[in-house]
Coordinates of all heavy atoms in Angstrom, one line a residue:
Chain B
E12 N -5.9 112.9 42.4 CA -4.5 113.2 42.2 C -4.3 114.0 40.9 O -5.1 114.1 40.0 CB -3.8 111.9 42.0 CG -4.2 111.1 40.8 CD -3.5 109.7 40.7 OE1 -3.2 109.2 41.7 OE2 -3.2 109.3 39.6
I17 N 3.9 111.1 39.4 CA 4.8 110.1 39.0 C 5.8 109.9 40.1 O 5.9 110.7 41.0 CB 5.6 110.5 37.7 CG1 6.0 112.0 37.8 CG2 4.8 110.3 36.5 CD1 6.7 112.4 36.6
A23 N 10.1 118.0 38.7 CA 11.5 118.6 38.6 C 12.4 117.6 37.9 O 13.2 118.0 37.0 CB 12.0 118.9 40.0
D36 N 20.6 113.7 24.5 CA 20.9 112.6 25.4 C 19.8 111.5 25.3 O 18.7 111.7 25.8 CB 20.9 113.1 26.9 CG 21.4 112.1 27.8 OD1 21.3 110.9 27.5 OD2 21.8 112.4 29.0
T48 N 5.3 105.6 30.7 CA 4.6 104.6 29.9 C 3.5 103.9 30.6 O 2.4 103.6 30.1 CB 5.6 103.6 29.3 OG1 6.4 104.2 28.4 CG2 4.9 102.4 28.7
T65 N -3.3 99.4 21.7 CA -2.6 100.2 22.7 C -1.1 100.3 22.3 O -0.4 101.3 22.4 CB -2.8 99.6 24.1 OG1 -4.2 99.6 24.4 CG2 -2.1 100.5 25.1
L68 N -0.4 102.4 19.3 CA -0.6 103.9 19.6 C 0.5 104.4 20.4 O 1.0 105.5 20.2 CB -1.9 104.1 20.3 CG -3.1 104.2 19.3 CD1 -4.4 104.0 20.1 CD2 -3.1 105.5 18.6
F77 N 9.2 112.3 20.6 CA 10.6 112.4 20.3 C 10.8 113.5 19.2 O 11.7 114.3 19.4 CB 11.1 111.0 19.8 CG 12.5 111.0 19.5 CD1 13.5 110.9 20.5 CD2 13.0 111.0 18.1 CE1 14.8 110.9 20.1 CE2 14.3 111.0 17.8 CZ 15.2 110.9 18.8
L80 N 10.0 117.1 20.7 CA 10.6 117.5 22.0 C 11.4 118.8 21.9 O 11.4 119.6 22.8 CB 11.5 116.4 22.5 CG 11.9 116.5 24.0 CD1 10.7 116.4 24.9 CD2 12.8 115.3 24.4
K106 N -11.8 107.6 16.0 CA -12.6 108.2 15.0 C -12.4 107.6 13.6 O -13.3 107.4 12.8 CB -12.4 109.7 14.9 CG -13.1 110.5 16.0 CD -12.9 112.0 15.9 CE -13.6 112.7 17.0 NZ -13.3 114.2 17.0
R108 N -11.3 104.7 13.0 CA -11.8 103.3 13.0 C -13.4 103.3 12.9 O -14.0 102.4 12.5 CB -11.4 102.6 14.2 CG -10.0 102.1 14.3 CD -9.7 101.0 13.3 NE -8.4 100.5 13.5 CZ -8.2 99.4 14.2 NH1 -9.1 98.8 14.8 NH2 -6.9 98.9 14.3
D117 N -9.8 91.0 25.8 CA -9.3 90.7 27.2 C -10.3 90.4 28.2 O -10.1 90.2 29.3 CB -8.5 92.0 27.7 CG -7.5 92.4 26.6 OD1 -6.7 91.6 26.2 OD2 -7.5 93.6 26.2
E122 N -23.6 85.5 28.2 CA -25.0 86.1 28.1 C -25.8 85.6 29.3 O -25.8 84.5 29.8 CB -25.7 85.6 26.8 CG -25.1 86.2 25.6 CD -26.0 86.1 24.4 OE1 -27.2 86.0 24.6 OE2 -25.5 86.3 23.3
E147 N -17.1 89.5 34.1 CA -18.2 89.6 33.1 C -18.8 91.0 33.0 O -19.1 91.5 32.0 CB -19.3 88.6 33.6 CG -19.0 87.2 33.4 CD -20.2 86.3 33.9 OE1 -21.4 86.6 33.5 OE2 -20.0 85.3 34.6
L148 N -18.9 91.6 34.2 CA -19.5 93.0 34.2 C -18.5 93.9 33.5 O -19.0 94.8 32.8 CB -19.7 93.4 35.7 CG -20.8 92.7 36.4 CD1 -20.7 93.0 37.9 CD2 -22.1 93.1 35.9
L152 N -19.3 96.5 30.5 CA -18.9 97.9 30.6 C -18.0 98.3 29.4 O -18.1 99.4 28.9 CB -18.2 98.1 31.9 CG -17.8 99.6 32.2 CD1 -19.0 100.5 32.1 CD2 -17.1 99.7 33.6
T153 N -17.1 97.4 29.0 CA -16.3 97.6 27.8 C -17.2 97.9 26.6 O -16.9 98.8 25.8 CB -15.3 96.5 27.6 OG1 -14.5 96.3 28.7 CG2 -14.5 96.7 26.3
D154 N -18.2 97.0 26.4 CA -19.1 97.2 25.3 C -19.8 98.6 25.4 O -19.9 99.3 24.4 CB -20.1 96.1 25.2 CG -19.5 94.8 24.9 OD1 -18.4 94.8 24.3 OD2 -20.1 93.7 25.2
L156 N -18.8 101.3 27.0 CA -17.8 102.4 26.7 C -17.5 102.5 25.2 O -17.4 103.6 24.7 CB -16.5 102.1 27.5 CG -16.5 102.3 29.0 CD1 -15.2 101.8 29.6 CD2 -16.6 103.8 29.3
A161 N -15.7 109.1 21.1 CA -14.3 109.1 21.5 C -14.0 110.2 22.6 O -13.3 109.9 23.5 CB -13.4 109.3 20.3
M169 N -10.2 109.2 31.8 CA -9.3 110.0 32.6 C -9.9 110.3 34.0 O -9.1 110.2 35.0 CB -9.0 111.3 31.9 CG -8.0 111.2 30.8 SD -7.4 112.7 30.1 CE -8.8 113.1 29.0
G204 N -27.7 104.3 30.7 CA -28.7 103.8 29.8 C -28.3 102.5 29.1 O -29.1 101.5 29.0
D208 N -30.2 97.3 31.8 CA -30.7 95.9 32.1 C -30.1 95.3 33.3 O -30.6 94.2 33.8 CB -30.5 95.0 30.8 CG -29.1 94.9 30.5 OD1 -28.3 95.9 30.6 OD2 -28.7 93.8 30.1
H210 N -30.1 96.2 36.3 CA -30.6 96.9 37.5 C -30.6 96.0 38.7 O -30.8 94.8 38.6 CB -32.0 97.5 37.3 CG -33.0 96.4 37.1 ND1 -33.3 95.7 35.9 CD2 -33.9 95.9 38.0 CE1 -34.3 94.9 36.1 NE2 -34.7 94.9 37.4

Side-chain angles (χ1 to χ4, degrees):
Chain B
E12 61 181 37
I17 41 180
D36 187 341
T48 290
T65 301
L68 277 165
F77 181 77
L80 196 61
K106 284 181 176 175
R108 287 291 190 93
D117 310 308
E122 289 200 18
E147 287 184 46
L148 291 167
L152 182 57
T153 299
D154 290 340
L156 284 169
M169 285 190 278
D208 59 320
H210 68 276

